[in-house]
Amino acid sequence: SPSRGLGDVYKRQKLRQAPASPPPPVVPPTLAAEQVLVECRMIKDGDMLTAPRIITISGRKAEIAIVAQEKVPGTKKPVETGIKLSILPVLEDGRVAFTGSCSVKERRPASSGKNIVSTAFVTREAFFSGVAAERDPVTFQLATNAKEGNPIEITLSFTMAPGLIGRVDPAD
């Protein structure tokens, strides 16, 4: 099958859909004051690849996966491709200290010959840590090799969000 790039993966991505949600949780006042909205934008060559958002509690790791299942020759088990973000924000003195990782896994052109079919995948991964003021974006790059062109630019922004859990529209 022909090679598929990141843009193709995200055009046909299937987000994991959660079952119908129960009523919003009652958030104890101690947790309400420690909520953090994490926003992430991933851009390559001026094109927005994805812009996920997630709400977590200070000190609790949050993970986002935007993936597709790719069939591969010789096995019934598909390979997961796409973008994964893991982040641990901690509120400290009105700022957000954070650590995390981001990975992008893509299918690459396969080689075929007499009596053989193969496929390959490339994974790029970055680990990061920093400190940011509320709503003050921080940016880093997920490198690529020379043949793949420009790196993926990743921008993170944090909002301290008291009482946000239970009030966010799930469609956002």
Side-chain angles (χ1 to χ4, degrees):
S1 87
S3 167
R4 294 182 207 151
L6 265 179
D8 294 328
V9 170
Y10 304 107
K11 287 177 189 169
R12 60 185 170 74
Q13 72 188 9
K14 293 182 181 176
L15 297 177
R16 295 179 184 154
Q17 198 117 20
S21 41
V26 176
V27 180
T30 55
L31 290 181
E34 298 177 355
Q35 295 175 45
V36 180
L37 171 64
V38 180
E39 298 177 87
C40 176
R41 284 190 327 265
M42 296 184 186
I43 299 172
K44 182 169 184 192
D45 297 326
D47 293 328
M48 179 79 68
L49 299 177
T50 187
R53 300 183 308 167
I54 192 166
I55 300 168
T56 189
I57 304 296
S58 175
R60 184 178 295 165
K61 183 165 76 170
E63 296 180 336
I64 298 171
I66 303 170
V67 298
Q69 302 295 318
E70 300 278 347
K71 293 180 181 178
V72 294
T75 181
K76 291 182 182 179
K77 184 178 177 188
V79 172
E80 198 171 72
T81 59
I83 294 176
K84 293 183 180 180
L85 174 71
S86 175
I87 191 158
L88 174 67
V90 178
L91 298 179
E92 294 178 352
D93 300 322
R95 296 171 58 98
V96 180
F98 59 91
T99 59
S101 65
C102 176
S103 68
V104 176
K105 186 172 189 174
E106 301 175 88
R107 184 181 209 131
R108 285 291 174 238
S111 63
S112 300
K114 187 175 182 181
N115 302 323
I116 189 163
V117 176
S118 69
T119 192
F121 296 89
V122 173
T123 302
R124 289 170 282 166
E125 192 166 16
F127 295 85
F128 53 86
S129 66
V131 178
E134 183 173 22
R135 295 187 179 102
D136 186 18
V138 293
T139 301
F140 64 97
Q141 294 182 340
L142 187 56
T144 60
N145 67 36
K147 289 182 181 180
E148 295 174 328
N150 296 323
I152 297 172
E153 184 176 277
I154 300 170
T155 302
L156 300 171
S157 181
F158 304 91
T159 304
M160 294 167 223
L164 196 54
I165 292 178
R167 294 188 335 186
V168 172
D169 181 356
D172 282 352

Coordinates of all heavy atoms in Angstrom, one line a residue, residues 14-93:
K14 N -9.5 8.2 14.2 CA -10.8 7.8 14.9 C -10.4 8.1 16.3 O -9.6 7.4 16.9 CB -11.1 6.4 14.7 CG -11.6 6.1 13.2 CD -12.0 4.7 13.1 CE -12.4 4.5 11.6 NZ -12.7 3.1 11.4
L15 N -11.0 9.1 16.9 CA -10.8 9.4 18.3 C -11.6 8.3 19.1 O -12.7 7.9 18.8 CB -11.3 10.8 18.7 CG -10.6 11.9 17.9 CD1 -11.2 13.2 18.3 CD2 -9.1 11.9 18.3
R16 N -10.9 7.9 20.2 CA -11.6 7.0 21.1 C -12.7 7.7 21.8 O -12.6 8.7 22.4 CB -10.6 6.5 22.1 CG -9.5 5.7 21.5 CD -8.5 5.2 22.5 NE -7.4 4.5 21.9 CZ -6.2 4.4 22.4 NH1 -5.9 5.0 23.5 NH2 -5.3 3.8 21.7
Q17 N -13.9 7.2 21.6 CA -15.1 7.8 22.1 C -15.5 7.2 23.4 O -15.5 6.0 23.6 CB -16.3 7.6 21.1 CG -17.4 8.6 21.4 CD -17.6 9.4 20.2 OE1 -17.2 9.1 19.1 NE2 -18.2 10.6 20.4
A18 N -15.7 8.1 24.4 CA -16.0 7.6 25.7 C -17.5 7.3 25.7 O -18.3 7.9 24.9 CB -15.7 8.7 26.7
P19 N -18.0 6.4 26.5 CA -19.4 6.1 26.6 C -20.1 7.3 27.2 O -19.5 8.3 27.7 CB -19.5 4.9 27.6 CG -18.1 4.9 28.3 CD -17.2 5.5 27.4
A20 N -21.4 7.3 27.1 CA -22.2 8.4 27.6 C -21.7 8.8 29.0 O -21.6 7.9 29.9 CB -23.7 8.1 27.6
S21 N -21.5 10.1 29.3 CA -20.9 10.5 30.5 C -22.0 10.6 31.6 O -23.1 11.1 31.4 CB -20.1 11.7 30.4 OG -20.8 12.7 29.6
P22 N -21.6 10.2 32.8 CA -22.5 10.4 34.0 C -22.6 11.9 34.3 O -21.8 12.7 33.8 CB -21.8 9.6 35.1 CG -20.4 9.6 34.7 CD -20.4 9.6 33.2
P23 N -23.4 12.2 35.3 CA -23.5 13.6 35.7 C -22.1 14.1 36.2 O -21.3 13.3 36.6 CB -24.4 13.6 36.9 CG -25.1 12.3 36.9 CD -24.3 11.4 36.0
P24 N -21.8 15.4 36.1 CA -20.5 15.9 36.5 C -20.2 15.6 37.9 O -21.1 15.6 38.8 CB -20.6 17.5 36.3 CG -21.8 17.7 35.4 CD -22.7 16.5 35.6
P25 N -19.0 15.3 38.2 CA -18.6 14.9 39.6 C -18.7 16.1 40.5 O -18.6 17.3 40.1 CB -17.2 14.4 39.5 CG -16.6 15.1 38.3 CD -17.8 15.3 37.4
V26 N -19.0 15.9 41.8 CA -18.9 16.9 42.8 C -17.4 17.1 43.2 O -16.8 16.1 43.6 CB -19.7 16.5 44.0 CG1 -19.6 17.6 45.1 CG2 -21.2 16.4 43.6
V27 N -16.9 18.3 43.0 CA -15.5 18.5 43.2 C -15.2 19.1 44.6 O -15.7 20.2 44.8 CB -14.9 19.4 42.1 CG1 -13.4 19.6 42.3 CG2 -15.2 18.8 40.7
P28 N -14.5 18.4 45.4 CA -14.2 19.0 46.7 C -13.4 20.3 46.6 O -12.6 20.4 45.6 CB -13.3 17.9 47.4 CG -13.5 16.6 46.6 CD -13.9 17.1 45.3
P29 N -13.7 21.2 47.4 CA -13.0 22.5 47.3 C -11.5 22.4 47.2 O -10.8 23.2 46.5 CB -13.4 23.3 48.5 CG -14.6 22.6 49.0 CD -14.6 21.2 48.5
T30 N -10.9 21.4 47.9 CA -9.4 21.3 47.9 C -8.9 20.9 46.5 O -7.9 21.3 46.1 CB -9.0 20.2 48.9 OG1 -9.6 19.0 48.6 CG2 -9.2 20.7 50.3
L31 N -9.7 20.1 45.7 CA -9.3 19.7 44.4 C -9.6 20.8 43.4 O -8.9 21.0 42.4 CB -10.0 18.4 43.9 CG -9.5 17.2 44.6 CD1 -10.3 16.0 44.1 CD2 -8.0 17.0 44.5
A32 N -10.7 21.5 43.6 CA -11.1 22.6 42.7 C -10.1 23.6 42.5 O -9.8 24.1 41.4 CB -12.4 23.2 43.1
A33 N -9.3 23.9 43.6 CA -8.3 25.0 43.5 C -7.0 24.5 42.8 O -6.2 25.3 42.5 CB -8.0 25.4 44.9
E34 N -6.9 23.2 42.5 CA -5.7 22.6 42.0 C -5.8 22.1 40.6 O -5.0 21.4 40.0 CB -5.2 21.5 42.9 CG -4.8 21.9 44.3 CD -4.4 20.8 45.2 OE1 -4.5 19.6 44.7 OE2 -4.0 21.1 46.3
Q35 N -6.9 22.4 39.9 CA -7.2 22.0 38.5 C -6.3 22.8 37.5 O -6.1 24.0 37.7 CB -8.6 22.1 38.2 CG -9.5 21.2 39.0 CD -11.0 21.4 38.7 OE1 -11.3 21.5 37.6 NE2 -11.8 21.5 39.7
V36 N -5.9 22.1 36.5 CA -5.1 22.7 35.5 C -5.6 22.3 34.1 O -5.8 21.1 33.8 CB -3.6 22.3 35.6 CG1 -2.8 23.0 34.5 CG2 -3.0 22.6 36.9
L37 N -5.9 23.3 33.2 CA -6.2 23.0 31.9 C -5.0 23.1 31.1 O -4.2 24.1 31.1 CB -7.2 24.1 31.3 CG -7.5 24.0 29.8 CD1 -8.2 22.7 29.4 CD2 -8.4 25.2 29.4
V38 N -4.6 22.0 30.4 CA -3.4 21.9 29.6 C -3.9 21.9 28.1 O -4.7 21.1 27.7 CB -2.6 20.6 29.8 CG1 -1.4 20.5 28.9 CG2 -2.3 20.4 31.3
E39 N -3.3 22.9 27.3 CA -3.6 23.0 25.9 C -2.4 22.8 25.1 O -1.3 23.2 25.5 CB -4.2 24.4 25.6 CG -5.5 24.6 26.3 CD -6.1 26.0 26.1 OE1 -6.8 26.1 25.1 OE2 -5.7 26.9 26.9
C40 N -2.5 22.0 24.1 CA -1.3 21.7 23.3 C -1.6 21.9 21.8 O -2.7 21.5 21.3 CB -0.9 20.2 23.5 SG 0.4 19.6 22.5
R41 N -0.7 22.5 21.1 CA -0.8 22.7 19.6 C 0.4 22.1 19.0 O 1.5 22.4 19.4 CB -0.9 24.2 19.3 CG -2.3 24.8 19.6 CD -2.4 26.2 18.9 NE -1.2 27.0 18.9 CZ -0.8 27.9 19.8 NH1 -1.5 28.1 20.9 NH2 0.3 28.5 19.6
M42 N 0.2 21.3 18.0 CA 1.2 20.7 17.2 C 1.1 21.1 15.7 O 0.1 20.8 15.1 CB 1.2 19.1 17.3 CG 1.4 18.7 18.7 SD 1.5 16.9 18.8 CE 1.6 16.6 20.6
I43 N 2.2 21.8 15.3 CA 2.1 22.4 13.9 C 3.4 21.9 13.1 O 4.5 21.9 13.7 CB 2.1 23.9 14.0 CG1 0.8 24.3 14.8 CG2 2.2 24.5 12.6 CD1 0.8 25.8 15.1
K44 N 3.1 21.5 11.9 CA 4.3 21.2 11.0 C 4.0 21.9 9.7 O 3.0 21.8 9.1 CB 4.4 19.7 10.8 CG 5.6 19.4 9.9 CD 5.9 17.9 9.8 CE 7.2 17.8 9.0 NZ 7.5 16.4 8.6
D45 N 5.0 22.6 9.2 CA 5.0 23.4 8.0 C 3.7 24.2 7.9 O 3.1 24.3 6.8 CB 5.1 22.4 6.8 CG 6.4 21.6 6.7 OD1 7.4 22.2 7.1 OD2 6.3 20.4 6.3
G46 N 3.4 24.9 9.0 CA 2.2 25.7 9.0 C 0.9 25.1 9.1 O -0.2 25.7 9.2
D47 N 0.8 23.7 9.1 CA -0.4 23.0 9.2 C -0.6 22.5 10.6 O 0.3 21.9 11.2 CB -0.4 21.7 8.3 CG -0.4 22.1 6.8 OD1 -1.0 23.2 6.5 OD2 0.2 21.4 6.0
M48 N -1.8 22.7 11.1 CA -2.1 22.2 12.5 C -2.4 20.7 12.4 O -3.3 20.3 11.7 CB -3.4 22.9 13.0 CG -3.8 22.5 14.4 SD -2.9 23.2 15.7 CE -3.5 24.9 15.6
L49 N -1.6 20.0 13.1 CA -1.7 18.5 13.1 C -2.8 18.1 14.1 O -3.7 17.3 13.9 CB -0.4 17.8 13.5 CG 0.7 18.0 12.5 CD1 2.0 17.3 13.0 CD2 0.4 17.5 11.1
T50 N -2.8 18.8 15.3 CA -3.7 18.5 16.3 C -3.6 19.6 17.4 O -2.6 20.3 17.5 CB -3.5 17.1 17.0 OG1 -4.6 16.8 17.9 CG2 -2.2 17.0 17.7
A51 N -4.7 19.8 18.2 CA -4.7 20.8 19.2 C -5.6 20.2 20.4 O -6.6 20.8 20.7 CB -5.3 22.1 18.7
P52 N -5.1 19.2 21.0 CA -5.9 18.6 22.2 C -5.8 19.5 23.4 O -4.9 20.3 23.6 CB -5.2 17.3 22.4 CG -3.8 17.5 22.0 CD -3.9 18.5 20.8
R53 N -6.8 19.3 24.3 CA -6.9 20.0 25.6 C -7.3 18.9 26.6 O -8.1 18.0 26.3 CB -7.9 21.1 25.6 CG -7.6 22.2 24.6 CD -8.6 23.3 24.7 NE -9.9 22.9 24.6 CZ -11.0 23.7 24.9 NH1 -10.8 24.9 25.2 NH2 -12.2 23.2 24.8
I54 N -6.8 19.0 27.8 CA -7.2 18.1 28.8 C -7.1 18.8 30.2 O -6.3 19.7 30.4 CB -6.3 16.8 28.8 CG1 -6.9 15.8 29.7 CG2 -4.9 17.2 29.2 CD1 -6.3 14.4 29.5
I55 N -8.0 18.5 31.1 CA -8.0 19.0 32.4 C -7.5 17.9 33.4 O -7.9 16.8 33.3 CB -9.5 19.4 32.9 CG1 -10.0 20.4 31.9 CG2 -9.5 19.9 34.3 CD1 -11.5 20.7 32.1
T56 N -6.6 18.3 34.3 CA -6.1 17.4 35.2 C -5.9 18.1 36.6 O -6.2 19.3 36.7 CB -4.8 16.8 34.8 OG1 -4.4 15.7 35.6 CG2 -3.7 17.8 34.7
I57 N -5.5 17.4 37.6 CA -5.3 17.9 38.9 C -3.8 18.1 39.0 O -3.0 17.3 38.6 CB -5.8 16.9 40.0 CG1 -7.3 16.6 39.8 CG2 -5.6 17.5 41.4 CD1 -8.2 17.7 39.9
S58 N -3.4 19.2 39.7 CA -2.0 19.4 40.0 C -1.4 18.2 40.6 O -1.9 17.6 41.6 CB -1.8 20.6 40.9 OG -0.5 20.8 41.3
G59 N -0.3 17.7 40.0 CA 0.4 16.5 40.5 C -0.1 15.2 40.0 O 0.4 14.2 40.3
R60 N -1.1 15.3 39.1 CA -1.6 14.1 38.4 C -1.3 14.1 37.0 O -1.6 15.0 36.2 CB -3.1 14.0 38.6 CG -3.7 12.7 38.1 CD -5.2 12.5 38.3 NE -5.5 12.5 39.7 CZ -6.7 12.6 40.2 NH1 -7.7 12.9 39.4 NH2 -6.9 12.5 41.5
K61 N -0.7 13.0 36.5 CA -0.3 12.9 35.1 C -1.5 12.7 34.2 O -2.5 12.0 34.5 CB 0.6 11.6 34.9 CG 1.1 11.5 33.5 CD 2.3 10.5 33.3 CE 1.8 9.1 33.4 NZ 2.9 8.1 33.0
A62 N -1.5 13.5 33.1 CA -2.6 13.4 32.1 C -2.0 12.9 30.8 O -0.8 13.2 30.5 CB -3.2 14.8 31.9
E63 N -2.8 12.1 30.1 CA -2.3 11.5 28.8 C -3.4 11.7 27.7 O -4.5 11.6 28.0 CB -2.0 10.1 29.0 CG -0.8 9.8 29.9 CD -0.5 8.3 30.1 OE1 -1.4 7.5 29.9 OE2 0.6 8.1 30.4
I64 N -2.9 12.1 26.5 CA -3.7 12.2 25.4 C -3.1 11.3 24.3 O -1.9 11.4 24.0 CB -3.8 13.7 24.9 CG1 -4.4 14.6 26.0 CG2 -4.6 13.8 23.6 CD1 -4.3 16.1 25.7
A65 N -4.0 10.6 23.6 CA -3.5 9.7 22.5 C -4.5 10.0 21.3 O -5.7 9.8 21.4 CB -3.5 8.3 22.8
I66 N -3.9 10.4 20.2 CA -4.7 10.5 18.9 C -4.1 9.6 17.9 O -3.0 9.8 17.4 CB -4.7 12.0 18.4 CG1 -5.2 12.9 19.5 CG2 -5.5 12.1 17.1 CD1 -5.0 14.4 19.2
V67 N -4.7 8.4 17.8 CA -4.1 7.3 17.1 C -5.0 6.6 16.1 O -6.2 6.8 16.1 CB -3.6 6.3 18.1 CG1 -2.5 6.8 19.1 CG2 -4.7 5.7 18.9
A68 N -4.3 5.9 15.2 CA -5.0 5.0 14.2 C -4.4 3.7 14.3 O -3.3 3.5 14.8 CB -4.9 5.6 12.8
Q69 N -5.1 2.7 13.9 CA -4.6 1.3 13.8 C -4.2 1.0 12.4 O -5.0 1.1 11.5 CB -5.7 0.3 14.3 CG -6.2 0.6 15.7 CD -5.1 0.4 16.8 OE1 -4.4 -0.6 16.7 NE2 -5.1 1.2 17.7
E70 N -2.9 0.6 12.2 CA -2.4 0.3 10.9 C -2.2 -1.2 10.7 O -1.6 -1.9 11.6 CB -1.1 0.9 10.7 CG -1.1 2.4 10.8 CD -1.6 3.1 9.5 OE1 -1.6 2.4 8.5 OE2 -1.8 4.3 9.6
K71 N -2.8 -1.8 9.6 CA -2.5 -3.2 9.4 C -1.1 -3.4 8.9 O -0.6 -2.6 8.1 CB -3.5 -3.7 8.3 CG -5.0 -3.7 8.8 CD -5.9 -4.2 7.7 CE -7.3 -4.2 8.2 NZ -8.2 -4.6 7.1
V72 N -0.5 -4.5 9.3 CA 0.8 -4.8 8.9 C 0.9 -6.3 8.3 O 0.1 -7.1 8.8 CB 1.9 -4.6 10.0 CG1 2.0 -3.2 10.4 CG2 1.6 -5.4 11.2
P73 N 1.8 -6.5 7.4 CA 1.9 -7.9 6.9 C 2.4 -8.9 7.9 O 3.2 -8.5 8.7 CB 2.8 -7.7 5.7 CG 3.6 -6.5 5.9 CD 2.7 -5.6 6.7
G74 N 1.9 -10.1 7.9 CA 2.4 -11.1 8.7 C 1.8 -11.2 10.1 O 2.2 -12.0 10.9
T75 N 0.9 -10.3 10.5 CA 0.3 -10.4 11.8 C -1.1 -9.9 11.8 O -1.5 -9.1 10.9 CB 1.2 -9.5 12.8 OG1 0.6 -9.6 14.1 CG2 1.2 -8.1 12.4
K76 N -1.9 -10.4 12.7 CA -3.3 -10.0 12.8 C -3.4 -8.7 13.7 O -4.4 -8.0 13.6 CB -4.2 -11.1 13.3 CG -4.3 -12.2 12.3 CD -5.2 -13.3 12.9 CE -5.3 -14.5 11.9 NZ -6.1 -15.6 12.3
K77 N -2.4 -8.5 14.5 CA -2.5 -7.4 15.5 C -2.0 -6.1 14.8 O -0.9 -6.1 14.3 CB -1.6 -7.7 16.7 CG -1.6 -6.6 17.7 CD -0.8 -7.0 18.9 CE -0.8 -5.9 19.9 NZ 0.2 -6.1 21.0
P78 N -2.8 -5.1 14.7 CA -2.4 -3.8 14.1 C -1.4 -3.1 14.9 O -1.3 -3.3 16.1 CB -3.7 -3.1 13.9 CG -4.6 -3.6 15.0 CD -4.2 -5.0 15.2
V79 N -0.7 -2.1 14.3 CA 0.2 -1.3 14.9 C -0.4 0.1 15.1 O -1.0 0.6 14.2 CB 1.5 -1.2 14.1 CG1 2.5 -0.1 14.7 CG2 2.2 -2.5 14.0
E80 N -0.3 0.6 16.3 CA -0.9 1.9 16.6 C 0.1 3.1 16.2 O 1.3 3.1 16.5 CB -1.1 2.0 18.1 CG -2.0 3.1 18.6 CD -2.3 3.0 20.1 OE1 -1.5 3.3 20.9 OE2 -3.4 2.5 20.4
T81 N -0.5 4.0 15.3 CA 0.3 5.1 14.9 C -0.4 6.4 15.3 O -1.6 6.4 15.6 CB 0.5 5.1 13.3 OG1 -0.8 5.2 12.7 CG2 1.2 3.9 12.8
G82 N 0.3 7.5 15.4 CA -0.3 8.8 15.7 C 0.5 9.5 16.8 O 1.8 9.3 16.9
I83 N -0.1 10.4 17.5 CA 0.5 11.3 18.5 C 0.1 10.9 19.9 O -1.1 10.7 20.1 CB 0.2 12.7 18.2 CG1 0.8 13.2 16.8 CG2 0.6 13.6 19.3 CD1 0.4 14.6 16.4
K84 N 1.0 10.9 20.8 CA 0.7 10.7 22.2 C 1.5 11.8 23.0 O 2.6 12.1 22.7 CB 1.2 9.3 22.7 CG 0.5 8.2 22.0 CD 0.9 6.8 22.6 CE 0.2 5.7 21.9 NZ 0.6 4.4 22.4
L85 N 0.7 12.3 24.0 CA 1.3 13.3 24.9 C 1.0 12.9 26.3 O -0.1 12.5 26.6 CB 0.6 14.7 24.6 CG 1.0 15.8 25.6 CD1 2.4 16.3 25.3 CD2 0.0 17.0 25.4
S86 N 2.0 13.0 27.1 CA 1.9 12.7 28.5 C 2.5 13.9 29.3 O 3.6 14.3 28.9 CB 2.7 11.4 28.9 OG 2.7 11.2 30.3
I87 N 1.7 14.4 30.3 CA 2.2 15.6 31.0 C 1.8 15.6 32.4 O 0.7 15.1 32.8 CB 1.7 16.9 30.2 CG1 2.5 18.1 30.8 CG2 0.2 17.0 30.3 CD1 2.5 19.3 29.9
L88 N 2.7 16.1 33.3 CA 2.5 16.1 34.7 C 2.7 17.6 35.2 O 3.8 18.0 35.3 CB 3.4 15.2 35.5 CG 3.4 15.3 37.0 CD1 2.1 14.8 37.5 CD2 4.6 14.5 37.6
P89 N 1.6 18.3 35.3 CA 1.7 19.7 35.7 C 1.6 19.8 37.3 O 0.8 19.0 37.9 CB 0.5 20.4 35.1 CG -0.5 19.3 35.0 CD 0.2 18.0 34.8
V90 N 2.4 20.7 37.9 CA 2.3 20.9 39.3 C 2.3 22.4 39.6 O 3.2 23.1 39.1 CB 3.5 20.3 40.0 CG1 3.5 20.5 41.5 CG2 3.6 18.8 39.8
L91 N 1.2 22.8 40.3 CA 1.1 24.3 40.6 C 2.1 24.6 41.7 O 2.2 24.0 42.7 CB -0.3 24.6 41.0 CG -1.4 24.4 40.0 CD1 -2.8 24.7 40.6 CD2 -1.1 25.2 38.8
E92 N 2.9 25.7 41.4 CA 3.9 26.1 42.4 C 4.0 27.6 42.4 O 4.4 28.2 41.4 CB 5.3 25.6 42.1 CG 5.4 24.1 42.2 CD 6.8 23.6 41.9 OE1 7.7 24.4 41.3 OE2 7.1 22.4 42.1
D93 N 3.6 28.3 43.5 CA 3.7 29.7 43.6 C 3.1 30.5 42.4 O 3.7 31.4 41.9 CB 5.2 30.2 43.8 CG 5.8 29.5 45.0 OD1 5.1 29.4 46.1 OD2 7.0 29.1 45.0

